[in-house]
Amino acid sequence: MSHSAPALPLTARRAGALTGRVRVPGDKSISQRSLILGAMAVGETKIMGLLEGEDVFNTGKVMQALGASVERIGEGAWRVLGVGVGGFAQPSAPLYFGNSGTGCRLVMGAVAGCPIQAVFDGDASLRTRPMRRILDPLELMGARTSDGAEGGRLPVTVHGAVDPMPIEYESPVPSAQVKSAVLLAGLAAPGATTVIENEATRDHTEKMLAHFGAKLKISAHGDHGRRITLEGQPELEAAPVTVPADPSSAAFPMVAALIAPGSEVILDGVMTNPLRAGLLTCLREMGASIEVLASRNEGGEDVADLRVRASALKGIDVPAARAPSMIDEYPILAVAASFAEGVTRMRGLKELRVKESDRLAGTAEMLRVNGVAVEIEGDDLIVHGKGRAAGGGLVATHMDHRIAMAALVFGVATEQPVRVDDMGFIATSFPGFVDMMRSLGADLS
Ligand code: S3P
């Protein structure tokens, strides 16, 4: 998605019950990692079910610019020929990541362990996001970085380390991107690189590294955290990857089915990794009818077919400790909370301020312009649910795909239509969202 593309407004109108059976696209986090690790492995990695969205395409192009071969061989089927750990070639132009924080930050780590230099850049949204959290540990490992703006905003130049050093790093923020960047840089360092996280975040990098033959030790750290140690300089070997359906994308039709009266929707093959399942826990606590029809393992991840029925929801208190397992789901949980009876308090949402937009402010604004009483208290979001919502508002999406999708889901059940100023960024993570919602009976035009 180019930041100069014309805005694409879209309106959601209430149209009754949603019904049908759908499978949302592949998980964005796993798709990104499959391209990056495929490019760092020796041999040919075949990926099935890759998310064919803008964020992932940008990472694919960057992997090509760094010397890997990335080729589409069928629908969702891709082949990556890797260059081996430390084998990236000097790129001839800046690396452009569009809207994708994950692509940019993980590749910063991967490049930091190679003796090359690269300029990292992205769209207007990515250029506002903090990169110091990534650059600090990479500098400790021997990379040199120079950033254009205070706080390490893009564009940033990374001079990879000639002799990368292993470190033990306790991340000051609960971020799978920080953890992953350090581990990917650690691949090129001799000896053990350790990341300590005080709150466990998604573990897709660890799982995929192990799948590609790296040796890791993972143990508990404190009440909610983990200590992850990677043995450096492994021979990463290409291995096939199957990408399960993205729970962060499934969240949108799931909540739509809960709030549109009379709905019954089946969502196929949704990944239920506990480090991604915080929204499911919340919705069940709110009284949602979400039934597991079948569960199985796909490509090393547990997945389930879920039957979701429209439900009378009640407000809940969401503990801060749950945030890492549902960090991308707060905008859509806030929509569900608007249709619940009673107050929902979502605690500890500091990290939402540095997503594709300030999602704490953007989520509150999305609800407010549509007649919902909402407050921000410190880092908490408080929604006063009334079992119904007026709608009628125009939602500013601020280049943020998840605000756009949450607002359009909101409009399937509000009394008046909900309009978004630009649905263009939905293509970063969920191409086909509009068509899928229409196939379930939503009125989007
Ligand atoms: C992601 C980690 C999360 C999440 C993002 C994807 C990943 O970011 O918000 O959409 O794939 O590692 P943080 O690591 O900044 O929390």
Side-chain angles (χ1 to χ4, degrees):
M1 178 60 41
S2 148
H3 47 272
S4 54
L8 298 168
L10 193 69
T11 301
R13 292 180 179 80
R14 189 155 73 172
L18 303 179
T19 51
R21 182 166 194 150
V22 290
R23 183 184 169 99
V24 302
D27 185 67
K28 180 152 72 73
S29 294
I30 296 180
S31 295
Q32 297 275 30
R33 287 158 172 80
S34 68
L35 292 177
I36 298 168
L37 282 181
M40 296 177 84
V42 174
E44 180 184 298
T45 292
K46 274 208 184 113
I47 308 165
M48 302 305 292
L50 187 84
L51 166 62
E52 297 187 322
E54 299 285 345
D55 278 7
V56 178
F57 289 152
N58 280 322
T59 299
K61 284 184 205 144
V62 166
M63 291 303 108
Q64 284 176 316
L66 293 170
S69 142
V70 179
E71 193 194 345
R72 189 178 197 263
I73 51 178
E75 204 186 317
W78 290 70
R79 178 162 52 207
V80 181
L81 258 185
V83 295
V85 170
F88 282 152
Q90 173 64 45
S92 54
L95 306 177
Y96 182 73
F97 291 90
N99 198 246
S100 177
T102 306
C104 178
R105 289 170 168 154
L106 268 58
V107 176
M108 280 178 168
V111 162
C114 298
I116 57 171
Q117 72 175 60
V119 178
F120 288 73
D121 205 357
D123 70 11
S125 155
L126 192 55
R127 280 183 168 205
T128 66
R129 301 183 65 186
M131 295 296 159
R132 262 289 130 210
R133 54 178 58 196
I134 302 289
L135 303 179
D136 283 344
L138 298 182
E139 284 172 358
L140 294 174
M141 300 178 85
R144 280 190 305 116
T145 69
S146 43
D147 47 67
E150 204 191 321
R153 308 282 192 247
L154 298 185
V156 163
T157 304
V158 175
H159 304 258
V162 177
D163 291 309
M165 288 172 288
I167 56 170
E168 176 168 311
Y169 190 68
E170 181 169 341
S171 178
V173 281
S175 163
Q177 295 174 359
V178 171
K179 167 176 66 179
S180 301
V182 174
L183 292 175
L184 293 182
L187 283 172
T193 291
T194 296
V195 180
I196 297 167
E197 45 180 10
N198 291 307
E199 314 205 38
T201 62
R202 65 192 69 194
D203 58 357
H204 308 306
T205 301
E206 299 90 301
K207 281 186 160 179
M208 206 179 288
L209 279 170
H211 182 58
F212 279 70
K215 289 205 171 61
L216 295 104
K217 274 194 209 127
I218 300 171
S219 54
H221 174 79
D223 286 345
H224 306 290
R226 284 186 177 179
R227 180 187 172 91
I228 302 122
T229 298
L230 168 77
E231 224 175 82
Q233 300 184 331
E235 188 65 34
L236 276 195
E237 275 180 40
V241 176
T242 302
V243 185
D246 193 330
S248 298
S249 295
F252 297 104
M254 183 181 289
V255 169
L258 289 172
I259 63 175
S263 297
E264 181 174 325
V265 167
I266 295 175
L267 298 165
D268 277 328
V270 180
M271 179 166 60
T272 52
N273 180 323
L275 294 168
R276 298 286 299 281
L279 178 73
L280 272 180
T281 307
C282 290
L283 292 174
R284 287 189 167 124
E285 285 175 5
M286 293 170 91
S289 164
I290 303 173
E291 195 187 333
V292 175
L293 297 182
S295 52
R296 57 193 174 276
N297 192 279
E298 260 179 26
E301 292 285 359
D302 289 334
V303 304
D305 301 335
L306 302 173
R307 180 180 8 230
V308 186
R309 291 195 174 97
S311 305
L313 303 175
K314 61 178 195 322
I316 58 164
D317 196 304
V318 185
R322 197 176 289 166
S325 68
M326 56 175 297
I327 194 64
D328 293 332
E329 279 66 81
Y330 286 98
I332 194 64
L333 177 63
V335 166
S338 303
F339 284 92
E341 292 283 354
V343 177
T344 293
R345 186 175 194 121
M346 299 164 233
R347 296 178 187 271
L349 305 190
K350 192 165 171 225
E351 278 293 302
L352 285 199
R353 298 185 198 272
V354 292
K355 293 297 173 188
E356 285 82 332
S357 67
D358 177 344
R359 268 190 197 153
L360 188 49
T363 300
E365 200 52 26
M366 164 180 74
L367 300 185
R368 203 171 280 133
V369 298
N370 285 294
V372 178
V374 52
E375 297 145 65
I376 296 172
E377 245 181 52
D379 295 329
D380 297 355
L381 180 65
I382 302 153
V383 177
H384 298 267
K386 295 262 184 292
R388 47 178 282 276
L394 171 65
V395 175
T397 51
H398 301 290
M399 306 178 77
D400 190 324
H401 54 133
R402 298 202 199 278
I403 297 284
M405 288 186 278
L408 292 168
V409 166
F410 198 29
V412 307
T414 48
E415 283 145 26
Q416 299 299 318
V418 171
R419 189 167 173 79
V420 300
D421 64 352
D422 188 6
M423 53 79 82
F425 285 85
I426 293 174
T428 61
S429 71
F430 196 162
F433 167 80
V434 171
D435 287 344
M436 185 180 287
M437 291 299 295
R438 283 182 182 145
S439 79
L440 295 172
D443 178 352
L444 305 180
S445 60

